[in-house]
Amino acid sequence: MTHRINTLVVHASELVTPSPALDGAARGAQLDRLEVIPDGALAVDDGRVVAIGGTADLLARYDADHVVDAGGHLVSPAFVDPHTHLLHGGTRHDEWQGKVLERAVPGIDAGIRTTIAATRAAPDAELTARALADLDEALVHGTVVLEAKTGYGLDPDSEMRLLRLTKALDHPVHVPATYLGAHTVPAEYLDDRDGYIRTVLDTLPHIAATADFCDVACDPVSFTAEESRRIARAARALGLPLKFHADQTGDIGGTELAVEFGAVSVDHLDEASDAALRSLAASDTVGVVFPGANYHLLDMTASLAPRGRAARDLATWASRVLGSGAAIALSTDYNPGTAPSLSMQAVMQLAARLYRWSYAQVWHMVTLNAAAALGLQAGRGSLAPGKSADFVIWSVRSHGEVVHRFGSNMADRVYAAGRPVAERGRRLSAPSTAKTCSTAI
């Protein structure tokens, strides 16, 4: 007896996914156990995964309205990008070239203030159009969930404007919105840090019903541990889940603070101590790291490193982070200053090269673990029965090829909740209405 479903994807050279048995982020040895099904198939109904398995098995079990032939190519979960600064004005390419040529350039905090000025000056329509174009780019590279932070307004009206514009975005990519009023101290408050913190605290009740998260930057260029604690305590009292920027340019206890407050994620970790990593490993908080930022800042050669620190052995650092047993995710950290890329494919490729992480490890980190960094692991991040049918049909045959190759977009067709939303590098404007067997490649 067969069961009627909406869609059956068949003849994947590999159907690859974190194990459907995992109910949380993968860590330790779990990261090496990627499920790979040759001649794989995926059953989808009402936007949800029904089953995965071999093509012959699923063809025998299901009768589908739409049969999609993957044509002997890879099928995988779509990406989740758990940390971006999507809405912003201006560009900082001149600043970056100045750093490359070793001219006098602003630090990270001063660079953020440059973007604040450009963002405040940009009209709503300009910010929205840019964000939608950026979401298109992320989508065609395989991303269907992308978190977007405020933090480039840093006054109450501007921050609430960014949050409002984020929540109003109409796009196939799901965009959780994060309030990051505690990004850095804006120029007008440089002589009154406590006054700015009071402004953030006063703003929190006005955004609590709209924002999905509150983020706090606990770092030497942003806020101290005690200042961050004040903000985190107030956000938690309002029921806002917490995320942290922490320990990017120096270790001031941000990672431990994130763990103490039960943050969904703590992001950066560049200068986190061994003790901080042990604390993270003993918690459910997901650490998020950014090989794209390390690459763009040339951390491996020191010329662009924040605060002039020496060249870093990124592979040794990454071994410490992963060896701690913490749950780790990858993200673009998309922003105009330190990580101007929207491609999660590039993130995987850089993580393999800079951090020396394996194919299986990075696939876990851009799917299931990235979903966990947004608290979405129960419904996204793997091709497990009951989860949203977010998947990609690739132009290559092996999951390793997506990481091994670089410099081109290998995502051929992208699906969100079982619906085709992008194909061959372009966003689709409407769901496909084809009733016959289709071929992805």
Side-chain angles (χ1 to χ4, degrees):
M1 177 180 176
T2 59
H3 299 278
R4 192 76 184 176
I5 59 171
N6 298 140
T7 303
L8 187 61
V9 182
V10 298
H11 296 307
S13 55
E14 294 179 349
L15 187 138
V16 63
T17 180
S19 170
L22 285 171
D23 58 4
R27 61 180 81 207
Q30 294 171 332
L31 291 166
D32 299 317
R33 296 196 285 269
L34 196 64
E35 184 151 341
V36 180
I37 303 173
D39 192 21
L42 171 68
V44 176
D45 197 49
D46 290 332
R48 299 276 172 183
V49 176
V50 174
I52 61 173
T55 291
D57 177 40
L58 266 59
L59 281 172
R61 291 166 54 193
Y62 297 100
D63 185 15
D65 296 330
H66 309 286
V67 177
V68 178
D69 188 345
H73 291 83
L74 171 70
V75 174
S76 79
F79 298 136
V80 175
D81 190 348
H83 180 129
T84 83
H85 301 258
L86 179 67
L87 270 78
H88 62 266
T91 176
R92 281 158 52 192
H93 62 277
D94 287 337
E95 171 192 317
W96 187 84
Q97 180 172 250
K99 292 178 180 180
V100 170
L101 299 178
E102 300 185 281
R103 298 171 181 156
V105 293
I108 286 177
D109 50 344
I112 292 170
R113 293 185 196 107
T114 298
T115 301
I116 290 168
T119 304
R120 288 175 176 177
D124 287 4
E126 178 182 320
L127 292 173
T128 296
R130 181 178 193 160
L132 290 171
D134 284 344
L135 287 172
D136 282 354
E137 184 176 345
L139 177 69
V140 300
H141 283 81
T143 297
V144 299
V145 179
L146 182 146
E147 181 258 18
K149 302 179 190 297
T150 67
Y152 287 136
L154 300 196
D155 64 58
D157 288 344
S158 297
E159 284 293 292
M160 287 188 281
R161 175 176 79 126
L162 291 176
L163 191 59
R164 171 176 54 80
L165 293 176
T166 300
K167 298 298 283 189
L169 292 170
D170 183 11
H171 199 275
V173 173
H174 173 55
V175 185
T178 297
Y179 170 63
L180 180 57
H183 196 184
T184 194
V185 178
E188 61 268 32
Y189 280 92
L190 287 176
D191 295 324
D192 186 14
R193 293 178 64 88
D194 192 65
Y196 182 67
I197 292 168
R198 289 197 302 273
T199 297
V200 173
L201 296 175
D202 289 344
T203 304
L204 280 169
H206 299 286
I207 60 85
T210 304
D212 297 294
F213 301 96
C214 176
D215 198 336
V216 183
C218 184
D219 188 87
V221 300
S222 299
F223 297 94
T224 68
E226 188 49 44
E227 291 168 339
S228 300
R229 182 184 298 278
R230 289 174 61 189
I231 298 165
R233 186 183 295 122
R236 187 170 65 178
L238 291 165
L240 276 167
L242 286 161
K243 296 171 74 70
F244 276 75
H245 285 59
D247 304 333
Q248 179 183 9
T249 69
D251 178 14
I252 60 169
T255 301
E256 292 98 327
L257 191 65
V259 170
E260 176 188 335
F261 276 88
V264 177
S265 77
V266 56
D267 305 3
H268 285 293
L269 307 177
D270 299 74
E271 300 293 337
S273 67
D274 288 341
L277 293 175
R278 286 194 296 271
S279 174
L280 181 60
S283 75
D284 292 328
T285 299
V286 178
V288 183
V289 298
F290 310 109
N294 293 138
Y295 174 74
H296 190 66
L297 291 170
L298 303 185
D299 281 354
M300 54 283 191
T301 62
S303 61
L304 307 196
R307 306 183 77 193
R309 67 185 170 211
R312 299 174 59 202
D313 181 345
L314 291 172
T316 297
W317 169 81
S319 179
R320 281 181 53 236
V321 170
L322 208 57
S324 71
I328 301 298
L330 290 164
S331 177
T332 61
D333 188 22
Y334 172 63
N335 73 81
T338 63
S341 173
L342 286 151
S343 172
M344 288 292 278
Q345 293 179 51
V347 166
M348 298 171 77
Q349 294 153 7
L350 289 170
R353 287 158 176 80
L354 299 181
Y355 300 165
R356 310 290 178 89
W357 287 346
S358 72
Y359 299 155
Q361 289 168 340
V362 299
W363 271 104
H364 277 100
M365 293 175 191
V366 296
T367 55
L368 181 62
N369 286 19
L374 292 171
L376 298 176
Q377 67 273 20
R380 297 183 184 262
S382 65
L383 300 179
K387 289 192 177 185
S388 183
D390 304 333
F391 61 95
V392 179
I393 301 175
W394 298 85
S395 61
V396 298
R397 296 181 58 83
S398 166
H399 68 281
E401 288 182 79
V402 178
V403 186
H404 179 252
R405 290 179 57 179
F406 63 92
S408 58
N409 181 10
M410 289 165 275
D412 185 78
R413 186 177 295 185
V414 182
Y415 289 73
R419 179 170 68 91
V421 290
E423 184 175 3
R424 294 181 175 89
R426 65 182 181 88
R427 173 185 164 188
L428 299 177
S429 58
S432 171
T433 57
K435 296 292 184 182
T436 58
C437 177
S438 59
T439 302
I441 304 299

